[in-house]
């Protein structure tokens, strides 16, 4: 019955649906935030002022989604995790937390797959751009013959190009660019750099005056 209720709520007018989501699921949704026709049901949800979720997104099996002020999730994104109460595949991962955290003014565009088996953090004013990128916090360990997971972190004022793949435990620094079609297999720390390729490597330094990498707000 709970699954049926969730499906039916998707089609309620937003003003009514917002009230029901707060009442039934104890979500924290700012009056100016909005969710389109999306099956968007983490255990806990916090949406700040101006945060928006577009149409045809799916978000399930996450412990929490935090969308800070003016964050945007576009259309047709698949955001999933592995329920925290289930220990069968990740009993060794004691600190695992299936959470998506989006910093102020960050954006996930459309047709991306975000695996939050472990925590995914997207910094302020950062964009997951284009189409078809995959952020994967879990994979099969060939060495240990089991599922492993590790968090992924993307810094502030950074850009992830179309059809990129980010693997468990990786990170991008602030004010950096991951080129289109790249596979991120390790963590980088130096800001104002272009990283790219398969596997991603340092490509070149970027001008510190580039407006995207130093911006204080996202264009509307």
């Amino acid at each position: 019955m709970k699954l049926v209720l969730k499906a039916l709520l998707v089609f309620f007018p937003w003003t009514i649906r917002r009230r029901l989501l707060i009442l039934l699921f104890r979500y924290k949704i700012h009056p100016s935030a909005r969710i389109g026709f999306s099956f968007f049901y983490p255990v806990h949800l916090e949406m700040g002022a101006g945060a928006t979720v577009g149409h045809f997104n799916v978000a399930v099996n996450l412990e929490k989604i935090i969308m800070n002020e003016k964050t945007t999730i576009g259309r047709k994104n698949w955001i999933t995790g592995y329920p925290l109460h289930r220990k069968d595949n990740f009993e060794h991962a004691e600190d695992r937390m299936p959470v998506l955290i989006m910093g102020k003014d960050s954006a996930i565009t459309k047709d991306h797959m975000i695996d939050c088996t472990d925590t995914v953090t997207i910094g302020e004013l950062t964009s997951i751009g284009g189409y078809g990128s995959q952020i994967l916090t879990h994979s099969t360990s060939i060495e240990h013959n089991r599922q492993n997971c590790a968090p992924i972190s993307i810094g502030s004022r950074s850009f992830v190009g179309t059809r990129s793949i980010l693997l468990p435990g990786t990170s991008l620094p602030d004010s950096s660019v991951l080129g289109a079609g790249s596979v991120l297999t390790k963590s980088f720390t130096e800001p104002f750099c272009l990283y790219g390729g398969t596997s991603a490597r340092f490509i070149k330094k970027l001008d510190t005056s580039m407006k995207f990498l130093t911006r204080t707000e996202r264009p509307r």
Side-chain angles (χ1 to χ4, degrees):
M1 286 298 293
K2 194 170 184 179
L3 183 61
V4 173
L5 173 62
K6 289 178 177 180
L8 289 174
L9 280 176
V10 170
F11 301 100
F12 277 50
W14 172 242
T15 52
I16 298 173
R17 181 159 37 117
R18 176 180 172 273
R19 291 172 187 164
L20 290 173
L21 291 174
I22 292 170
L23 177 65
L24 298 175
F25 298 96
R26 306 298 183 189
Y27 288 169
K28 298 177 181 179
I29 304 174
H30 191 275
S32 63
R34 185 178 181 87
I35 301 174
F37 297 114
S38 292
F39 195 85
F40 206 83
Y41 292 105
V43 176
H44 304 284
L45 175 64
E46 297 179 16
M47 296 182 70
T52 60
V53 176
H55 300 318
F56 313 124
N57 296 284
V58 173
V60 293
N61 296 327
L62 286 88
E63 185 66 17
K64 182 181 288 188
I65 293 178
I66 300 174
M67 298 180 66
N68 284 292
E69 183 181 351
K70 297 180 182 178
T71 50
T72 301
I73 295 175
R75 300 192 305 273
K76 296 193 294 182
N77 295 287
W78 183 272
I79 304 169
T80 188
Y82 195 78
L84 188 61
H85 67 271
R86 292 190 58 179
K87 307 295 184 181
D88 46 343
N89 285 322
F90 299 99
E91 64 278 358
H92 58 285
E94 296 180 357
D95 297 327
R96 181 181 76 88
M97 187 58 64
V99 172
L100 172 64
I101 302 170
M102 297 181 66
K104 178 179 177 291
D105 272 301
S106 63
I108 297 170
T109 55
K110 46 192 171 183
D111 289 312
H112 299 299
M113 200 286 282
I114 315 293
D115 160 40
C116 297
T117 297
D118 210 333
T119 302
V120 172
T121 304
I122 300 172
E124 293 185 359
L125 293 152
T126 284
S127 292
I128 311 301
Y131 307 85
S133 287
Q134 300 178 52
I135 298 177
L136 306 171
T137 62
H138 90 281
S139 65
T140 299
S141 170
I142 304 301
E143 179 182 1
H144 298 104
N145 187 33
R146 68 184 184 191
Q147 294 291 312
N148 273 347
C149 64
I152 291 175
S153 176
I154 304 168
S156 297
R157 298 173 183 81
S158 292
F159 183 84
V160 174
T162 189
R163 299 196 182 281
S164 293
I165 299 174
L166 288 72
L167 296 181
T170 58
S171 62
L172 282 174
D174 294 342
S175 302
S176 63
V177 176
L178 183 65
S182 298
V183 179
L184 188 65
T185 60
K186 62 180 181 180
S187 295
F188 294 98
T189 59
E190 187 175 0
F192 293 100
C193 290
L194 170 64
Y195 301 100
T198 309
S199 299
R201 64 191 187 282
F202 167 81
I203 302 295
K204 66 177 183 179
K205 290 285 291 182
L206 298 174
D207 192 329
T208 57
S209 67
M210 286 184 170
K211 292 183 178 180
F212 185 100
L213 304 179
T214 58
R215 61 187 181 162
T216 58
E217 62 181 4
R218 185 160 54 90
R220 298 296 161 193

